Amino acid sequence: QVQLVESGGGLVQPGGSLRLSCAASGFTLDYYAIGWFRQAPGKEREGVACFTSDSRTYYADSVKGRFTISRDNAKNTVYLEMNSLKPEDTAVYYCAADPSGGYYRDYVLKIRLYEYWGQGTQVTVSS
């Protein structure tokens, strides 16, 4: 059974940091592209970062230079390190798996190719 479980969310002050984890079970992460998405109240879900099966990384412009995605094959886990957090980063963060491995580069930050999703973890940036 394919399962993704996010953790690490919470409340943080502006300028602070958080590290999100996405633990996979039922499949081996390194054959998939793993994306992080977020959804704020009243807004559409948007792609934040992606780690492809060939170890390429992609980021949304809004988080470049602040967020870092990484993968630990031994733990079958993908991380999202978030620094210099802003109130506009407040959202529910989801990880998702794309079986194509990120082959279609134009879609690595788009929802359509991601078949497996976690339940989400809340990130709130507020003073």
Side-chain angles (χ1 to χ4, degrees), residues 66-79:
R66 300 189 298 123
F67 290 12
T68 302
I69 189 170
S70 61
R71 185 178 70 199
D72 185 331
N73 290 340
K75 295 183 178 180
N76 215 30
T77 299
V78 170
Y79 302 97

Side-chain angles (χ1 to χ4, degrees), residues 1-48:
Q1 180 181 359
V2 172
Q3 191 173 16
L4 295 168
V5 178
E6 302 96 336
S7 61
L11 173 64
V12 63
Q13 292 187 342
S17 299
L18 281 175
R19 188 178 79 158
L20 305 183
S21 299
C22 172
S25 59
F27 70 105
T28 302
L29 271 181
D30 48 348
Y31 295 112
Y32 290 70
I34 302 299
W36 281 99
F37 294 78
R38 66 186 181 187
Q39 189 166 18
K43 293 189 176 181
E44 293 187 354
R45 193 169 298 189
E46 63 175 356
V48 174

